[in-house]
Amino acid sequence: GKVFDIKTENEKLRERYGRSDFGASCLIARRLVEQGVKYVTINYNYAPNWDSHKKHFDVMKARLPEFDKGLATLLADLSDRGLLDSTIVWAGGEFGRSPRIQWEAPWNGGRSHHGKCFSHLVAGGGFQGGQVIGASDETGINVAERPVYPWDLISSIYEQLGIDTQARLPHPQGLDVRVSPTEADGITMGGRLREIMS
């Protein structure tokens, strides 16, 4: 219970995280990691949420400063406490936003879903910081170089955690299912994130 009571935390540090729900969640995440919790998830779905079909720019003006402040402070705080090297931080969503702005009613400046090209962030846990892998085309619609698929990302994280990505998983129908797929499974892959893995 005490780990969730952030009133006991240093006031200046609380300000650095931000007085938002997300900032408080990041602070609690750091406290949980400090207590040895192995897996922490922050669901950032506070209203207005990231699904900005309407008034995208208004939503981003509210969300982005909270996200930047909370996440940057979490990374710095983990690093300051010697916890970042043993903690993987992964931030992302299930898809990106369309590069095309929908100005017509009822969207009024909204952006729809876009799964072809979007970004995730990984830090700590043996991943080398300060690098970008891959690039979009000039319109942000398609991947232009070095594609990274979801299974590339999760396989890279598993490897950093010491999980055997080729281990067999139990399956109710007896199928040969492994922790992570390979090209032998007929899946297009970009490859593990070797550029930033130590």
Side-chain angles (χ1 to χ4, degrees):
K2 290 183 180 179
V3 73
F4 294 99
D5 183 10
I6 60 173
K7 293 185 191 100
T8 62
E9 195 67 59
N10 176 284
E11 283 296 314
K12 286 183 180 177
L13 185 58
R14 286 183 69 192
E15 287 297 328
R16 280 180 53 206
Y17 273 98
R19 298 291 183 158
S20 65
D21 288 340
F22 181 70
S25 296
C26 288
L27 176 54
I28 291 168
R30 189 270 296 161
R31 290 166 64 103
L32 288 166
V33 168
E34 226 172 10
Q35 293 301 311
V37 174
K38 299 291 184 194
Y39 188 88
V40 178
T41 300
I42 299 171
N43 290 317
Y44 193 178
N45 57 1
Y46 319 114
N49 64 33
W50 293 95
D51 202 15
S52 55
H53 289 281
K54 294 183 178 184
K55 300 183 178 179
H56 172 80
F57 298 100
D58 293 339
V59 171
M60 292 303 109
K61 282 179 188 173
R63 290 292 131 240
L64 291 174
E66 291 178 357
F67 182 78
D68 288 348
K69 192 170 191 174
L71 182 62
T73 304
L74 173 62
L75 295 173
D77 199 9
L78 287 169
S79 180
D80 292 347
R81 294 166 191 271
L83 295 168
L84 188 57
D85 287 343
S86 60
T87 305
I88 294 175
V89 178
W90 171 15
E94 70 271 36
F95 48 72
R97 308 308 303 182
S98 170
R100 181 183 172 274
I101 308 301
Q102 296 173 288
W103 292 112
E104 66 277 5
W107 311 115
N108 303 317
R111 292 174 69 187
S112 62
H113 299 176
H114 190 71
K116 282 183 159 185
C117 187
F118 56 100
S119 302
H120 278 235
L121 174 145
V122 289
F127 286 107
Q128 299 166 25
Q131 298 182 57
V132 174
I133 298 175
S136 71
D137 60 19
E138 63 185 21
T139 60
I141 292 175
N142 296 299
V143 174
E145 63 183 59
R146 181 44 171 111
V148 177
Y149 296 94
W151 38 90
D152 297 321
L153 174 58
I154 195 66
S155 294
S156 299
I157 291 171
Y158 286 160
E159 185 175 320
Q160 294 294 87
L161 292 170
I163 296 170
D164 180 2
T165 59
Q166 289 305 296
R168 286 184 165 84
L169 296 173
H171 191 279
Q173 296 171 329
L175 299 177
D176 185 22
V177 178
R178 299 179 187 270
V179 170
S180 294
T182 67
E183 288 180 341
D185 299 311
I187 294 173
T188 302
M189 304 187 79
R192 300 217 177 135
L193 307 177
R194 297 285 178 218
E195 301 94 328
I196 61 170
M197 293 170 72
S198 56

